[in-house]
Amino acid sequence: MPGHRGVDPPTLLVAHGCWYPSADPTGEHVAFICDRAGVPQLWSGPARGTEVHVLDGDPDPVTEVSWSPDGRWIAYTSAPGGGEHTRVLVVRPDGTGRQVVAGAEPGSSAHLGCWTRDGAALAVTVAQPSPLRSEHAGSVPLPLEAEGASAAGGRTPGAASPERDGPALGQARSGGLAAYLVDPDAATAPVLLFSEEGAASLRACDVSADGRFALVRRGPRGRREALVLDTAAGRTTFALHVADGDPWIGRFSADARTLWLRSDAEREFAALLRVRLDEEGRSRGLSVAAEREQSALDLLSVPDHGRWAVLAWNAHGATELETVGLTLDRTDGDIGPRHHPVLPHEVVTRIAPVERGGLFAALSGSRRRPGIWELDEALVPARTGWSARDEDAVPPGRPPVRPVPLRCEARDGLVLGGWYYRAPEQDPGRPAPCVIHLHGGPEEQERPVFDPLYHELLGRGLDVFAPDVRGSSGWGRSFVDADLGAGRFAAIDDVADCAAHVVSLGYADPLRLGVMGRSYGGYLTMASLVWHPDLFRAGVAVCGMSDFATFFAGTEPWIAQSAAAKYGHPQHDRELLRSLSPMSRIDQLRAPVLAVHGEHDTNVPPTESEQFVRAALDRGVRARQLTLRNEGHEFLRADNRRLYRRAAADWLERHLGPAP
């Protein structure tokens, strides 16, 4: 790229992933995240070429990317030290002008929001747990009510209004979140869009073309809301429950008289809703524009012109992509012609539409690492030249395993889903050692995508069953809510029921069962080992909560706010949380356990693993802790990911072998 000043890394991995594409206004260049240098970094290059460049060569992992509508800037989020305190940066497409625009203050954290339609300002969300210290603190309007009152900054983006501007970035109230509009050229001061003390989440998803209205997603898990803010009047004009999952929940039409939302309000599965707005931003009517039976709308992407949208539907874990025309002259909420491209792989994780037509899609599959495909105006997919080939997913000699879907019934009759991976060269008529792997969230969903951890386990002769226990997404709102409160005891039993099911099918050896998981899956692993101590011969708990009291005391305030809605309030539900904590039953632990944690994890502090391992050793149970340096709640560096999966596979292979 002419004038490029980025520093290309000296060593590139053949088996790498590319994801989170964002195209420039012409659709000729794409910015994206790639781990070909061993850590997820910001890259950019021509859509149809092979010569791509790293735009930020720092070792801090990059998590989100957004190219400005005017093409002048690329915004992205990075995680210093691999931890949870992220920051937002911008850089020119040629690699110059890199600067931090939010989250640079000690102890603060920032997340990416939308660009204004003209590219003059970028929305960012800032979290700051320390007390407010700005001299302007008294001038910041804060929400009147915890549930949705607006604290808009009071001016149209780009217009100067110093007397109503908010404090310096990173100085929201203790435990609060604030969304700002930031001028990357630093010609105007940041403008406060919305602020909420004790907030669980906050994301500015869109700003109308005239700058008058902003679309914000807020609220804890299971209780997300979409708010329409009148930025001039400083009030909320519309609010509606929206689905969990992808935070980019909707967009305004070009004239701001229609709002398109991905929502499961009063529904089992998220659908595309059309909200007609009056001149004041109030609802004049709501209708369902597109829905599917037993399938949720996972992703919604609408170009600035608003004439069409791309929809990604979740069909029991796989993605069905659809483009639809958005007809604004209809009053019945109907949409225009639909087109259904045929995808080369199972799951779409990100959509980046191009204004002129076509799109870029990040795809993952059971037999390849994440890559980016371009779909032209006829929606014919073609792999970009800089995404790894399917055959390069793993080194030659042992191809990835394609899983088979499984359904099983819990003891209370609830039907659970999941995917079973059979180790290569396994005797089909003989039960095999099997690892039950539990995803995080708990609202995540097991998807049929290539997982290097599974590949490692399968190479050791261990089968893998990856179920969706109650609380997982993809199976309807009732299924997600089935683990709330005391329902979590049933979720723990679901793990045992899944193990019993694969044993009954003759797949798994009942004497060689292991259990492992990350985040909430790490909690479920610890819980399964102490609630069902004679079922599993070994466990690997990764970044899991072992005691809800210490978890709530040590996690970030906004994470605690969201977690309280899911698990229970640390004061009001103290006894329930104590009885749900694995530490309360540590005397029941029998199986050897490996605990893995990132040293900079402030989501689930490393002390959660440390106290579980210490208690196990005190009781004579074999236990070990592996702490990964320069990692947070997610393991993002290639060397650490390799260390983790080999340590986990070594542990499980040792304890699930033929001899006790």
Side-chain angles (χ1 to χ4, degrees), residues 519-555:
S519 191
Y520 176 72
Y523 158 78
L524 268 189
T525 296
M526 296 180 193
S528 298
L529 292 174
V530 297
W531 258 269
H532 303 283
D534 299 321
L535 181 59
F536 299 106
R537 278 191 37 193
V540 179
V542 185
C543 301
M545 304 91 74
S546 61
D547 188 312
F548 280 113
T550 54
F551 162 70
F552 275 108
T555 190

Side-chain angles (χ1 to χ4, degrees), residues 452-453 456-457 460 594 624 626 639-654:
L453 170 65
E456 184 80 32
L457 295 172
R460 308 293 186 96
L594 170 67
R624 177 191 165 206
L626 171 63
D639 54 347
N640 280 329
R641 293 198 304 268
R642 189 181 307 113
L643 173 62
Y644 154 58
R645 63 177 178 261
R646 289 180 178 174
D650 286 345
W651 186 267
L652 292 166
E653 183 182 25
R654 181 182 310 126

Side-chain angles (χ1 to χ4, degrees), residues 203-474:
R203 176 88 64 156
C205 297
D206 195 19
V207 176
S208 62
D210 62 3
R212 181 177 176 186
F213 299 110
L215 173 64
V216 170
R217 191 200 73 157
R218 64 163 296 279
R221 283 143 48 179
R223 298 207 301 269
R224 308 288 194 198
E225 272 189 314
L227 305 181
V228 174
L229 308 177
D230 185 328
T231 61
R235 66 171 182 267
T236 300
T237 63
F238 173 77
L240 185 72
H241 174 88
V242 290
D244 283 328
D246 186 71
W248 306 102
I249 46 90
R251 294 211 79 189
F252 294 107
S253 62
D255 63 0
R257 302 303 291 271
T258 301
L259 174 63
W260 303 99
L261 282 178
R262 183 181 67 86
S263 172
D264 59 356
E266 301 182 5
R267 314 175 56 80
E268 273 294 310
F269 294 92
L272 176 63
L273 302 187
R274 171 180 173 169
V275 184
R276 302 179 66 210
L277 302 174
D278 65 15
E279 338 182 293
E280 304 299 320
R282 296 184 296 256
S283 172
R284 293 195 298 130
L286 186 151
S287 57
V288 177
E291 62 182 333
R292 289 197 180 185
E293 186 175 357
Q294 301 298 309
S295 292
L297 181 58
D298 261 356
L299 303 172
L300 166 65
S301 190
V302 183
D304 283 351
H305 56 61
R307 294 192 298 270
W308 50 276
V310 188
L311 314 177
W313 299 94
N314 183 333
H316 303 300
T319 299
E320 294 179 1
L321 204 62
E322 178 179 47
T323 63
V324 298
L326 300 180
T327 53
L328 301 180
D329 55 347
R330 299 285 294 268
T331 59
D332 57 3
D334 200 6
I335 53 179
R338 302 185 178 196
H339 303 280
H340 307 273
V342 177
L343 301 174
H345 294 285
E346 291 100 323
V347 178
V348 175
T349 61
R350 181 63 42 192
I351 302 166
V354 178
E355 290 284 308
R356 57 171 165 72
L359 60 113
F360 293 91
L363 269 67
S364 291
S366 59
R367 303 180 68 82
R368 68 154 292 118
R369 293 176 186 258
I372 297 174
W373 266 251
E374 181 181 11
L375 280 72
D376 60 18
E377 295 182 44
L379 300 181
V380 176
R383 181 181 62 86
T384 55
W386 25 266
S387 289
R389 302 176 303 168
D390 293 1
E391 54 267 35
D392 292 330
V394 296
R398 185 164 55 84
V401 171
R402 188 184 297 276
V404 296
L406 278 189
R407 304 296 298 272
C408 63
E409 189 172 296
R411 62 191 64 184
D412 63 357
L414 185 66
V415 177
L416 313 174
W419 299 87
Y420 197 91
Y421 296 76
R422 188 72 168 174
E425 302 178 3
Q426 202 80 270
D427 184 345
R430 186 173 183 179
C434 179
V435 178
I436 308 298
H437 186 274
L438 306 164
H439 63 66
E443 305 91 340
E444 293 176 16
Q445 181 187 12
E446 191 66 34
R447 312 291 292 266
V449 298
F450 174 74
D451 189 326
L453 170 65
Y454 296 176
H455 188 71
E456 184 80 32
L457 295 172
L458 294 164
R460 308 293 186 96
L462 306 175
D463 285 7
V464 176
F465 180 40
D468 287 323
V469 300
R470 70 191 67 205
S472 306
S473 62

Side-chain angles (χ1 to χ4, degrees), residues 122-263:
L122 172 70
V124 296
T125 296
V126 177
Q128 173 60 277
S130 60
L132 190 72
R133 294 188 177 93
S134 170
E135 63 181 2
H136 302 294
S139 68
V140 182
L142 290 168
L144 301 176
E145 303 286 343
E147 289 297 323
S150 173
R155 70 175 172 95
T156 301
S161 181
E163 72 278 9
R164 298 197 62 182
D165 284 344
L169 290 183
Q171 296 187 347
R173 277 191 182 178
S174 175
L177 298 175
Y180 295 86
L181 285 177
V182 184
D183 177 4
D185 294 308
T188 60
V191 177
L192 183 67
L193 276 178
F194 185 87
S195 177
E196 182 179 355
E197 188 174 4
S201 70
L202 185 63
R203 176 88 64 156
C205 297
D206 195 19
V207 176
S208 62
D210 62 3
R212 181 177 176 186
F213 299 110
L215 173 64
V216 170
R217 191 200 73 157
R218 64 163 296 279
R221 283 143 48 179
R223 298 207 301 269
R224 308 288 194 198
E225 272 189 314
L227 305 181
V228 174
L229 308 177
D230 185 328
T231 61
R235 66 171 182 267
T236 300
T237 63
F238 173 77
L240 185 72
H241 174 88
V242 290
D244 283 328
D246 186 71
W248 306 102
I249 46 90
R251 294 211 79 189
F252 294 107
S253 62
D255 63 0
R257 302 303 291 271
T258 301
L259 174 63
W260 303 99
L261 282 178
R262 183 181 67 86
S263 172

